[in-house]
Amino acid sequence: MPNFAPYMKIKGILIILASFLVAGCSLSKTTAPENDADNTLVVIHTNDTHSHIDPNPSSGLGGALRRKVLIDSIRSANPNVLVIDAGDAVQGTLFYHLYKGEVEQLILNELDYDIQILGNHEFDNGVKALKHVLDEAEPTLLSSNYDFSESELADMFVPYVIKQYGNHRVGVFALNIDPNGMIAEGNYDGIKFLPWKETVNQTIDILRNKNQCDFVIAVTHIGFSYPDESVGLFGDVQVAEQTQGIDLIIGAHSHTKLDTAFVVLNAVGCPVNIVQTGRNGEYLGVTSINLSTDKISEKLIAVDSSLDGRRDQQLMQSLEPYRAGIDSLYNNEVATLSGGEPMNKSNGYALQNFTADFLSSRGSELANGVVGAIANSGSLRTTWAPGGISEGAVIDMMPFHNKVVVLDIKGSDLLEAREIMKYRKDHSVSGVIASGNINPNKIYRIATVDYLANGGDYMTPLTRAKHVAESDNLVFEDLLSHFKKNPVIVPDTIQRMK
């Protein structure tokens, strides 16, 4: 996840500067009353809900039934409402594992979303499977910087939409992440990534100059900010700073929780508001826009148990047929976590260390001489609580269709990979890799997952390694087999790589 702390420190300064500049940026606006409902647009937005159809057991927040209560309530109280999902609606619970996106699309349809865009995880089962899901989509499918013309998704997406509210025209477009290094090879066949800055400038010209839109919203799945990580990467902050003509960015991908809009000055000194809700559907974003003055107010509403008494019975019935298979997996206990603390990515290093050790163990079964392992934190999706761990919880934790692979890698490439891991701060290691005592001229045999071996998460050095062996099973299948021999987990919370 990008480090946006430096930007948060200067937020107050930017807001003060924006207050002086906004008048000059909105000279064409009228002075209609700020509480005039006809001039107000309420944008409801979600991002990175990750198949949390039910509340997140770790926090008690979220759930589609609760979300519907809030959306219906806001719609009933406001004449102009636009409901948008910024991608990664899938991948993170058994609903996706068993039903491949069908349930998540049903939710977007039943909650009457107006617009949805793609996240990177929508591609987890490949383009053909994605098309099967999107064939049922009722919201407008939006993407501005993907060329789908040679893919299974040809003619399913539009590059922008224009909405009319009274005398105001609102343009909405979408920016998607570069799939190279983020989406597994073979899962985005036929889709061409278009340069982001040129796409933004061309689209804004179409919206502002050719269609006279007086407010422009960018819906993105690119992350909050990537200030130094790698040449070519870009986030919402960079898009806001380096272009002009965007008023509001609805973001995703970095799981950034912004309680209020984050203000960035664009290339000509005008304010751009950036909003994002975090992850797992725990909060609903509500952005109120006065279209006569461009004044924006943002709030996050907790999707909590206070809404349970108003759950929609029809939606409950629609979800019921999907629950039997899920319940059976959650009721089958396969392992036990010792100790009194849960294992998750935000609670020390226990989950990361366990994963690296498991990959090393499985790699040693596939080939002799494995001296360490590399695991990516992005593949770890949930929390294990102390006590019994179910088959469903194992799949939830490592749900991707990855396989364990063994590589022979030159020490110089391994050192380069180690630097990438240190920078990204979301990978875990075991064995000799943790020590850093690596001879650049020596060959090391390591275990990892095929996603990283193929350059995923920008791990290009691993692509230069020699493939020695590969499991016939998916990672979570190997992990379930591992628990048959090693059913008790003793957490190791030591930070292994600094």
Side-chain angles (χ1 to χ4, degrees):
M1 184 182 298
N3 177 20
F4 58 91
Y7 289 96
M8 301 304 288
K9 293 179 181 178
I10 62 172
K11 180 179 179 182
I13 298 173
L14 291 174
I15 292 174
I16 292 171
L17 289 171
S19 67
F20 289 103
L21 290 165
V22 69
C25 296
S26 306
L27 290 176
S28 63
K29 297 293 182 178
T30 62
T31 56
E34 291 190 8
N35 61 354
D36 188 341
D38 291 337
N39 291 291
T40 299
L41 171 62
V42 177
V43 180
I44 301 171
H45 58 97
T46 53
N47 61 273
D48 301 286
T49 52
H50 284 302
S51 301
H52 279 73
I53 309 303
D54 292 328
N56 185 351
S58 300
S59 66
L61 297 175
L65 289 162
R66 296 171 177 175
R67 197 192 324 162
K68 188 176 192 311
V69 174
L70 286 173
I71 291 176
D72 289 349
S73 177
I74 295 168
R75 271 203 174 103
S76 67
N78 298 277
N80 302 323
V81 176
L82 189 63
V83 186
I84 297 173
D85 184 78
D88 274 6
V90 302
Q91 190 62 278
T93 74
L94 294 180
F95 279 102
Y96 187 67
H97 173 71
L98 292 177
Y99 306 113
K100 314 304 182 188
E102 177 182 336
V103 182
E104 294 85 346
Q105 191 60 59
L106 179 148
I107 294 298
L108 293 173
N109 293 347
E110 290 290 320
L111 273 59
D112 202 17
Y113 274 72
D114 298 291
I115 292 170
Q116 70 180 89
I117 77 166
L118 295 170
N120 49 295
H121 286 296
E122 270 77 10
F123 291 96
D124 280 355
N125 290 325
V127 175
K128 187 172 183 178
L130 177 57
K131 180 184 185 303
H132 178 74
V133 171
L134 294 181
D135 278 339
E136 304 302 319
E138 295 176 7
T140 297
L141 301 175
L142 195 61
S143 178
S144 306
N145 65 326
Y146 282 171
D147 179 353
F148 298 101
S149 60
E150 297 181 5
S151 78
E152 296 266 357
L153 305 181
D155 302 321
M156 297 188 74
F157 286 78
V158 297
Y160 59 84
V161 294
I162 298 171
K163 301 284 187 177
Q164 187 82 35
Y165 302 101
N167 295 323
H168 305 285
R169 293 170 69 80
V170 175
V172 186
F173 71 101
L175 283 180
N176 294 105
I177 199 164
D178 186 345
N180 182 33
M182 178 53 61
I183 300 172
E185 291 294 330
N187 282 3
Y188 59 96
D189 288 347
I191 295 172
K192 181 181 179 182
F193 175 79
L194 304 177
W196 74 264
K197 192 177 294 186
E198 289 86 339
T199 299
V200 171
N201 291 335
Q202 292 169 4
T203 306
I204 288 176
D205 178 60
I206 291 170
L207 294 175
R208 291 282 189 184
N209 299 324
K210 296 182 180 179
N211 289 281
Q212 289 75 52
C213 291
D214 47 8
F215 196 92
V216 173
I217 300 171
V219 187
T220 72
H221 198 97
I222 57 177
F224 178 76
S225 178
Y226 290 86
D228 302 305
E229 184 167 337
S230 176
V231 175
L233 291 183
F234 62 105
D236 294 329
V237 170
Q238 288 71 49
V239 170
E241 289 176 335
Q242 298 178 35
T243 64
Q244 63 186 85
I246 300 172
D247 296 291
L248 172 67
I249 295 177
I250 296 173
H253 183 59
S254 55
H255 300 175
T256 308
K257 181 173 174 282
L258 298 173
D259 294 301
T260 59
F262 186 90
V263 181
V264 175
L265 301 184
N266 71 10
V268 294
C270 294
V272 181
N273 288 263
I274 302 173
V275 298
Q276 197 181 147
T277 69
R279 62 178 177 177
N280 299 336
E282 297 182 351
Y283 294 88
L284 189 72
V286 181
T287 309
S288 295
I289 306 163
N290 185 297
L291 295 173
S292 293
T293 65
D294 281 355
K295 183 175 180 180
I296 293 172
S297 64
E298 168 74 2
K299 63 180 178 180
L300 297 184
I301 302 176
V303 184
D304 60 26
S305 60
S306 66
L307 304 163
D308 287 345
R310 294 183 283 162
R311 291 177 293 185
D312 184 87
Q313 294 298 314
Q314 181 176 335
L315 182 56
M316 289 178 67
Q317 292 175 7
S318 297
L319 293 174
E320 196 60 35
Y322 299 100
R323 295 194 180 278
I326 289 172
D327 290 344
S328 66
L329 292 175
Y330 282 135
N331 290 331
N332 181 27
E333 185 174 312
V334 296
T336 302
L337 173 60
S338 65
E341 295 294 325
M343 288 172 60
N344 61 50
K345 290 191 291 185
S346 59
N347 184 25
Y349 299 91
L351 191 61
Q352 292 93 320
N353 291 348
F354 166 80
T355 305
D357 289 345
F358 156 68
L359 293 178
S360 183
S361 173
R362 178 59 180 138
S364 296
E365 294 173 349
L366 295 169
N368 294 325
V370 171
V371 297
I374 297 173
N376 61 320
S377 183
S379 68
L380 314 181
R381 307 305 294 187
T382 190
T383 297
W384 283 347
I389 297 174
S390 69
E391 180 180 358
V394 172
I395 297 170
D396 280 347
M397 199 277 280
M398 299 187 74
F400 301 104
H401 284 200
N402 297 329
K403 294 184 176 182
V404 180
V405 297
V406 176
L407 307 176
D408 280 350
I409 185 169
K410 191 174 181 180
S412 56
D413 290 328
L414 190 55
L415 286 168
E416 184 181 343
R418 199 173 182 276
E419 289 303 306
I420 295 172
M421 288 185 280
K422 286 169 63 177
Y423 192 94
R424 287 181 61 78
K425 300 178 182 179
D426 66 351
H427 290 62
S428 53
V429 295
S430 70
V432 69
I433 306 169
S435 70
N437 186 21
I438 298 169
N439 183 337
N441 297 313
K442 184 179 177 181
I443 301 298
Y444 293 86
R445 180 161 289 182
I446 66 168
T448 188
V449 294
D450 55 353
Y451 171 70
L452 296 183
N454 292 330
D457 275 3
Y458 312 108
M459 295 290 281
T460 303
L462 299 190
T463 66
R464 300 193 284 268
K466 176 184 176 182
H467 277 64
V468 176
E470 179 175 307
S471 175
D472 292 330
N473 307 312
L474 299 177
V475 176
F476 64 78
E477 294 171 332
D478 278 337
L479 186 52
L480 288 169
S481 296
H482 173 82
F483 282 140
K484 291 180 180 179
K485 303 174 184 177
N486 308 276
V488 178
I489 303 169
V490 180
D492 171 11
T493 60
I494 300 299
Q495 183 179 3
R496 295 181 176 176
M497 187 176 69
K498 299 180 181 180

PDB file of all heavy atoms in Angstrom, residues 42 44 65-79 81 83 111 284 286 299 301 307 310 312:
ATOM      1  N   VAL A  42     -25.606  14.273  -5.016  1.00  0.00           N
ATOM      2  CA  VAL A  42     -25.037  13.402  -3.987  1.00  0.00           C
ATOM      3  C   VAL A  42     -24.458  12.167  -4.678  1.00  0.00           C
ATOM      4  O   VAL A  42     -25.192  11.421  -5.340  1.00  0.00           O
ATOM      5  CB  VAL A  42     -26.096  12.990  -2.946  1.00  0.00           C
ATOM      6  CG1 VAL A  42     -25.487  12.030  -1.926  1.00  0.00           C
ATOM      7  CG2 VAL A  42     -26.661  14.224  -2.247  1.00  0.00           C
ATOM      8  N   ILE A  44     -22.781   8.671  -4.112  1.00  0.00           N
ATOM      9  CA  ILE A  44     -22.516   7.576  -3.187  1.00  0.00           C
ATOM     10  C   ILE A  44     -21.452   6.694  -3.827  1.00  0.00           C
ATOM     11  O   ILE A  44     -21.572   6.315  -4.993  1.00  0.00           O
ATOM     12  CB  ILE A  44     -23.786   6.755  -2.924  1.00  0.00           C
ATOM     13  CG1 ILE A  44     -24.890   7.646  -2.343  1.00  0.00           C
ATOM     14  CG2 ILE A  44     -23.494   5.585  -1.995  1.00  0.00           C
ATOM     15  CD1 ILE A  44     -26.243   6.950  -2.259  1.00  0.00           C
ATOM     16  N   LEU A  65     -26.442  -6.084   2.686  1.00  0.00           N
ATOM     17  CA  LEU A  65     -27.797  -5.804   3.147  1.00  0.00           C
ATOM     18  C   LEU A  65     -27.844  -4.468   3.886  1.00  0.00           C
ATOM     19  O   LEU A  65     -28.781  -3.670   3.703  1.00  0.00           O
ATOM     20  CB  LEU A  65     -28.285  -6.932   4.050  1.00  0.00           C
ATOM     21  CG  LEU A  65     -28.582  -8.251   3.323  1.00  0.00           C
ATOM     22  CD1 LEU A  65     -28.630  -9.406   4.310  1.00  0.00           C
ATOM     23  CD2 LEU A  65     -29.901  -8.146   2.562  1.00  0.00           C
ATOM     24  N   ARG A  66     -26.864  -4.207   4.709  1.00  0.00           N
ATOM     25  CA  ARG A  66     -26.789  -2.916   5.402  1.00  0.00           C
ATOM     26  C   ARG A  66     -26.553  -1.779   4.418  1.00  0.00           C
ATOM     27  O   ARG A  66     -27.122  -0.693   4.545  1.00  0.00           O
ATOM     28  CB  ARG A  66     -25.666  -2.944   6.429  1.00  0.00           C
ATOM     29  CG  ARG A  66     -25.850  -3.936   7.570  1.00  0.00           C
ATOM     30  CD  ARG A  66     -24.578  -4.019   8.402  1.00  0.00           C
ATOM     31  NE  ARG A  66     -24.713  -4.906   9.543  1.00  0.00           N
ATOM     32  CZ  ARG A  66     -23.701  -5.199  10.357  1.00  0.00           C
ATOM     33  NH1 ARG A  66     -22.493  -4.698  10.119  1.00  0.00           N
ATOM     34  NH2 ARG A  66     -23.897  -6.002  11.390  1.00  0.00           N
ATOM     35  N   ARG A  67     -25.661  -2.032   3.459  1.00  0.00           N
ATOM     36  CA  ARG A  67     -25.359  -0.997   2.471  1.00  0.00           C
ATOM     37  C   ARG A  67     -26.602  -0.591   1.695  1.00  0.00           C
ATOM     38  O   ARG A  67     -26.809   0.590   1.393  1.00  0.00           O
ATOM     39  CB  ARG A  67     -24.281  -1.501   1.506  1.00  0.00           C
ATOM     40  CG  ARG A  67     -23.599  -0.403   0.709  1.00  0.00           C
ATOM     41  CD  ARG A  67     -22.755  -0.924  -0.430  1.00  0.00           C
ATOM     42  NE  ARG A  67     -22.070  -2.168  -0.132  1.00  0.00           N
ATOM     43  CZ  ARG A  67     -21.569  -2.958  -1.057  1.00  0.00           C
ATOM     44  NH1 ARG A  67     -21.707  -2.656  -2.351  1.00  0.00           N
ATOM     45  NH2 ARG A  67     -20.957  -4.078  -0.727  1.00  0.00           N
ATOM     46  N   LYS A  68     -27.438  -1.551   1.368  1.00  0.00           N
ATOM     47  CA  LYS A  68     -28.669  -1.243   0.641  1.00  0.00           C
ATOM     48  C   LYS A  68     -29.578  -0.325   1.456  1.00  0.00           C
ATOM     49  O   LYS A  68     -30.207   0.588   0.903  1.00  0.00           O
ATOM     50  CB  LYS A  68     -29.420  -2.515   0.264  1.00  0.00           C
ATOM     51  CG  LYS A  68     -30.615  -2.258  -0.670  1.00  0.00           C
ATOM     52  CD  LYS A  68     -31.282  -3.533  -1.120  1.00  0.00           C
ATOM     53  CE  LYS A  68     -32.254  -3.289  -2.266  1.00  0.00           C
ATOM     54  NZ  LYS A  68     -33.200  -2.197  -2.054  1.00  0.00           N
ATOM     55  N   VAL A  69     -29.651  -0.550   2.760  1.00  0.00           N
ATOM     56  CA  VAL A  69     -30.466   0.322   3.619  1.00  0.00           C
ATOM     57  C   VAL A  69     -29.999   1.768   3.495  1.00  0.00           C
ATOM     58  O   VAL A  69     -30.813   2.698   3.327  1.00  0.00           O
ATOM     59  CB  VAL A  69     -30.404  -0.144   5.086  1.00  0.00           C
ATOM     60  CG1 VAL A  69     -31.125   0.856   5.992  1.00  0.00           C
ATOM     61  CG2 VAL A  69     -31.016  -1.529   5.241  1.00  0.00           C
ATOM     62  N   LEU A  70     -28.694   1.977   3.569  1.00  0.00           N
ATOM     63  CA  LEU A  70     -28.150   3.331   3.496  1.00  0.00           C
ATOM     64  C   LEU A  70     -28.397   3.962   2.127  1.00  0.00           C
ATOM     65  O   LEU A  70     -28.818   5.124   2.027  1.00  0.00           O
ATOM     66  CB  LEU A  70     -26.650   3.307   3.787  1.00  0.00           C
ATOM     67  CG  LEU A  70     -26.238   3.078   5.238  1.00  0.00           C
ATOM     68  CD1 LEU A  70     -24.730   2.911   5.340  1.00  0.00           C
ATOM     69  CD2 LEU A  70     -26.708   4.239   6.113  1.00  0.00           C
ATOM     70  N   ILE A  71     -28.114   3.201   1.071  1.00  0.00           N
ATOM     71  CA  ILE A  71     -28.292   3.758  -0.280  1.00  0.00           C
ATOM     72  C   ILE A  71     -29.752   4.109  -0.530  1.00  0.00           C
ATOM     73  O   ILE A  71     -30.060   5.188  -1.062  1.00  0.00           O
ATOM     74  CB  ILE A  71     -27.760   2.762  -1.334  1.00  0.00           C
ATOM     75  CG1 ILE A  71     -26.235   2.666  -1.243  1.00  0.00           C
ATOM     76  CG2 ILE A  71     -28.179   3.192  -2.746  1.00  0.00           C
ATOM     77  CD1 ILE A  71     -25.624   1.639  -2.168  1.00  0.00           C
ATOM     78  N   ASP A  72     -30.660   3.232  -0.150  1.00  0.00           N
ATOM     79  CA  ASP A  72     -32.087   3.517  -0.343  1.00  0.00           C
ATOM     80  C   ASP A  72     -32.513   4.744   0.437  1.00  0.00           C
ATOM     81  O   ASP A  72     -33.311   5.569  -0.046  1.00  0.00           O
ATOM     82  CB  ASP A  72     -32.928   2.315   0.083  1.00  0.00           C
ATOM     83  CG  ASP A  72     -32.810   1.141  -0.882  1.00  0.00           C
ATOM     84  OD1 ASP A  72     -32.248   1.330  -1.980  1.00  0.00           O
ATOM     85  OD2 ASP A  72     -33.276   0.037  -0.527  1.00  0.00           O
ATOM     86  N   SER A  73     -31.981   4.900   1.650  1.00  0.00           N
ATOM     87  CA  SER A  73     -32.340   6.047   2.484  1.00  0.00           C
ATOM     88  C   SER A  73     -31.845   7.349   1.872  1.00  0.00           C
ATOM     89  O   SER A  73     -32.575   8.352   1.843  1.00  0.00           O
ATOM     90  CB  SER A  73     -31.754   5.858   3.890  1.00  0.00           C
ATOM     91  OG  SER A  73     -32.012   6.981   4.699  1.00  0.00           O
ATOM     92  N   ILE A  74     -30.614   7.349   1.381  1.00  0.00           N
ATOM     93  CA  ILE A  74     -30.059   8.562   0.768  1.00  0.00           C
ATOM     94  C   ILE A  74     -30.805   8.905  -0.511  1.00  0.00           C
ATOM     95  O   ILE A  74     -31.101  10.073  -0.784  1.00  0.00           O
ATOM     96  CB  ILE A  74     -28.557   8.373   0.506  1.00  0.00           C
ATOM     97  CG1 ILE A  74     -27.807   8.220   1.835  1.00  0.00           C
ATOM     98  CG2 ILE A  74     -27.990   9.536  -0.300  1.00  0.00           C
ATOM     99  CD1 ILE A  74     -26.376   7.747   1.688  1.00  0.00           C
ATOM    100  N   ARG A  75     -31.143   7.885  -1.283  1.00  0.00           N
ATOM    101  CA  ARG A  75     -31.899   8.130  -2.521  1.00  0.00           C
ATOM    102  C   ARG A  75     -33.266   8.753  -2.225  1.00  0.00           C
ATOM    103  O   ARG A  75     -33.710   9.649  -2.953  1.00  0.00           O
ATOM    104  CB  ARG A  75     -32.084   6.813  -3.277  1.00  0.00           C
ATOM    105  CG  ARG A  75     -30.973   6.472  -4.243  1.00  0.00           C
ATOM    106  CD  ARG A  75     -31.483   5.530  -5.307  1.00  0.00           C
ATOM    107  NE  ARG A  75     -30.478   5.299  -6.330  1.00  0.00           N
ATOM    108  CZ  ARG A  75     -29.742   4.197  -6.420  1.00  0.00           C
ATOM    109  NH1 ARG A  75     -29.897   3.235  -5.529  1.00  0.00           N
ATOM    110  NH2 ARG A  75     -28.849   4.053  -7.381  1.00  0.00           N
ATOM    111  N   SER A  76     -33.918   8.282  -1.186  1.00  0.00           N
ATOM    112  CA  SER A  76     -35.259   8.786  -0.883  1.00  0.00           C
ATOM    113  C   SER A  76     -35.238  10.232  -0.412  1.00  0.00           C
ATOM    114  O   SER A  76     -36.245  10.930  -0.511  1.00  0.00           O
ATOM    115  CB  SER A  76     -35.910   7.903   0.188  1.00  0.00           C
ATOM    116  OG  SER A  76     -35.243   8.026   1.427  1.00  0.00           O
ATOM    117  N   ALA A  77     -34.079  10.692   0.073  1.00  0.00           N
ATOM    118  CA  ALA A  77     -33.997  12.043   0.640  1.00  0.00           C
ATOM    119  C   ALA A  77     -33.411  13.067  -0.320  1.00  0.00           C
ATOM    120  O   ALA A  77     -33.399  14.265  -0.019  1.00  0.00           O
ATOM    121  CB  ALA A  77     -33.164  12.006   1.918  1.00  0.00           C
ATOM    122  N   ASN A  78     -32.914  12.623  -1.483  1.00  0.00           N
ATOM    123  CA  ASN A  78     -32.234  13.543  -2.402  1.00  0.00           C
ATOM    124  C   ASN A  78     -32.700  13.306  -3.835  1.00  0.00           C
ATOM    125  O   ASN A  78     -32.753  12.146  -4.277  1.00  0.00           O
ATOM    126  CB  ASN A  78     -30.718  13.341  -2.328  1.00  0.00           C
ATOM    127  CG  ASN A  78     -30.158  13.641  -0.954  1.00  0.00           C
ATOM    128  OD1 ASN A  78     -29.888  14.777  -0.617  1.00  0.00           O
ATOM    129  ND2 ASN A  78     -29.983  12.606  -0.143  1.00  0.00           N
ATOM    130  N   PRO A  79     -32.984  14.368  -4.578  1.00  0.00           N
ATOM    131  CA  PRO A  79     -33.472  14.182  -5.952  1.00  0.00           C
ATOM    132  C   PRO A  79     -32.388  13.760  -6.934  1.00  0.00           C
ATOM    133  O   PRO A  79     -32.673  13.092  -7.927  1.00  0.00           O
ATOM    134  CB  PRO A  79     -34.019  15.563  -6.317  1.00  0.00           C
ATOM    135  CG  PRO A  79     -33.279  16.520  -5.434  1.00  0.00           C
ATOM    136  CD  PRO A  79     -33.018  15.785  -4.156  1.00  0.00           C
ATOM    137  N   VAL A  81     -28.987  11.721  -7.244  1.00  0.00           N
ATOM    138  CA  VAL A  81     -28.069  10.774  -6.615  1.00  0.00           C
ATOM    139  C   VAL A  81     -27.395   9.944  -7.705  1.00  0.00           C
ATOM    140  O   VAL A  81     -28.043   9.472  -8.640  1.00  0.00           O
ATOM    141  CB  VAL A  81     -28.801   9.851  -5.618  1.00  0.00           C
ATOM    142  CG1 VAL A  81     -27.845   8.803  -5.054  1.00  0.00           C
ATOM    143  CG2 VAL A  81     -29.417  10.669  -4.483  1.00  0.00           C
ATOM    144  N   VAL A  83     -24.676   6.642  -7.941  1.00  0.00           N
ATOM    145  CA  VAL A  83     -24.053   5.586  -7.138  1.00  0.00           C
ATOM    146  C   VAL A  83     -22.971   4.904  -7.983  1.00  0.00           C
ATOM    147  O   VAL A  83     -23.249   4.402  -9.072  1.00  0.00           O
ATOM    148  CB  VAL A  83     -25.091   4.556  -6.653  1.00  0.00           C
ATOM    149  CG1 VAL A  83     -24.436   3.557  -5.698  1.00  0.00           C
ATOM    150  CG2 VAL A  83     -26.254   5.260  -5.953  1.00  0.00           C
ATOM    151  N   LEU A 111     -28.607  -3.233  -5.829  1.00  0.00           N
ATOM    152  CA  LEU A 111     -28.492  -1.956  -5.139  1.00  0.00           C
ATOM    153  C   LEU A 111     -28.574  -0.790  -6.117  1.00  0.00           C
ATOM    154  O   LEU A 111     -28.433   0.367  -5.728  1.00  0.00           O
ATOM    155  CB  LEU A 111     -27.186  -1.885  -4.339  1.00  0.00           C
ATOM    156  CG  LEU A 111     -27.261  -2.458  -2.916  1.00  0.00           C
ATOM    157  CD1 LEU A 111     -27.670  -3.929  -2.898  1.00  0.00           C
ATOM    158  CD2 LEU A 111     -25.936  -2.281  -2.183  1.00  0.00           C
ATOM    159  N   LEU A 284     -19.451   3.647   3.759  1.00  0.00           N
ATOM    160  CA  LEU A 284     -20.060   4.144   2.523  1.00  0.00           C
ATOM    161  C   LEU A 284     -19.647   5.596   2.361  1.00  0.00           C
ATOM    162  O   LEU A 284     -19.824   6.405   3.278  1.00  0.00           O
ATOM    163  CB  LEU A 284     -21.579   4.024   2.597  1.00  0.00           C
ATOM    164  CG  LEU A 284     -22.341   4.314   1.294  1.00  0.00           C
ATOM    165  CD1 LEU A 284     -22.137   3.175   0.300  1.00  0.00           C
ATOM    166  CD2 LEU A 284     -23.828   4.503   1.580  1.00  0.00           C
ATOM    167  N   VAL A 286     -20.101   9.283   0.913  1.00  0.00           N
ATOM    168  CA  VAL A 286     -21.181  10.156   0.461  1.00  0.00           C
ATOM    169  C   VAL A 286     -20.590  11.539   0.199  1.00  0.00           C
ATOM    170  O   VAL A 286     -20.162  12.237   1.123  1.00  0.00           O
ATOM    171  CB  VAL A 286     -22.314  10.255   1.498  1.00  0.00           C
ATOM    172  CG1 VAL A 286     -23.436  11.149   0.966  1.00  0.00           C
ATOM    173  CG2 VAL A 286     -22.850   8.869   1.836  1.00  0.00           C
ATOM    174  N   LYS A 299     -18.319  12.689   3.534  1.00  0.00           N
ATOM    175  CA  LYS A 299     -18.385  11.984   4.806  1.00  0.00           C
ATOM    176  C   LYS A 299     -18.415  10.495   4.546  1.00  0.00           C
ATOM    177  O   LYS A 299     -18.868  10.019   3.499  1.00  0.00           O
ATOM    178  CB  LYS A 299     -19.613  12.406   5.615  1.00  0.00           C
ATOM    179  CG  LYS A 299     -20.951  12.071   4.967  1.00  0.00           C
ATOM    180  CD  LYS A 299     -22.105  12.537   5.860  1.00  0.00           C
ATOM    181  CE  LYS A 299     -23.468  12.261   5.200  1.00  0.00           C
ATOM    182  NZ  LYS A 299     -24.583  12.718   6.049  1.00  0.00           N
ATOM    183  N   ILE A 301     -19.890   6.977   6.110  1.00  0.00           N
ATOM    184  CA  ILE A 301     -20.905   6.449   7.014  1.00  0.00           C
ATOM    185  C   ILE A 301     -20.555   5.004   7.339  1.00  0.00           C
ATOM    186  O   ILE A 301     -20.381   4.180   6.424  1.00  0.00           O
ATOM    187  CB  ILE A 301     -22.306   6.519   6.390  1.00  0.00           C
ATOM    188  CG1 ILE A 301     -22.656   7.968   6.012  1.00  0.00           C
ATOM    189  CG2 ILE A 301     -23.349   5.945   7.340  1.00  0.00           C
ATOM    190  CD1 ILE A 301     -23.996   8.102   5.303  1.00  0.00           C
ATOM    191  N   LEU A 307     -28.150  -0.890  11.303  1.00  0.00           N
ATOM    192  CA  LEU A 307     -28.966  -0.975  10.088  1.00  0.00           C
ATOM    193  C   LEU A 307     -29.648  -2.332   9.929  1.00  0.00           C
ATOM    194  O   LEU A 307     -30.460  -2.510   9.024  1.00  0.00           O
ATOM    195  CB  LEU A 307     -28.086  -0.709   8.858  1.00  0.00           C
ATOM    196  CG  LEU A 307     -27.333   0.626   8.872  1.00  0.00           C
ATOM    197  CD1 LEU A 307     -26.206   0.617   7.849  1.00  0.00           C
ATOM    198  CD2 LEU A 307     -28.288   1.780   8.602  1.00  0.00           C
ATOM    199  N   ARG A 310     -33.486  -3.070   9.356  1.00  0.00           N
ATOM    200  CA  ARG A 310     -34.168  -2.599   8.132  1.00  0.00           C
ATOM    201  C   ARG A 310     -33.685  -3.345   6.885  1.00  0.00           C
ATOM    202  O   ARG A 310     -33.819  -2.851   5.766  1.00  0.00           O
ATOM    203  CB  ARG A 310     -33.951  -1.095   7.971  1.00  0.00           C
ATOM    204  CG  ARG A 310     -34.615  -0.256   9.052  1.00  0.00           C
ATOM    205  CD  ARG A 310     -34.413   1.222   8.778  1.00  0.00           C
ATOM    206  NE  ARG A 310     -33.068   1.661   9.135  1.00  0.00           N
ATOM    207  CZ  ARG A 310     -32.512   2.787   8.705  1.00  0.00           C
ATOM    208  NH1 ARG A 310     -33.174   3.561   7.841  1.00  0.00           N
ATOM    209  NH2 ARG A 310     -31.309   3.133   9.097  1.00  0.00           N
ATOM    210  N   ASP A 312     -33.347  -5.572   3.659  1.00  0.00           N
ATOM    211  CA  ASP A 312     -34.296  -5.811   2.577  1.00  0.00           C
ATOM    212  C   ASP A 312     -34.577  -7.306   2.437  1.00  0.00           C
ATOM    213  O   ASP A 312     -33.654  -8.105   2.184  1.00  0.00           O
ATOM    214  CB  ASP A 312     -33.714  -5.254   1.268  1.00  0.00           C
ATOM    215  CG  ASP A 312     -34.680  -5.364   0.109  1.00  0.00           C
ATOM    216  OD1 ASP A 312     -35.486  -4.457  -0.062  1.00  0.00           O
ATOM    217  OD2 ASP A 312     -34.610  -6.389  -0.609  1.00  0.00           O
TER     218      ASP A 312
END
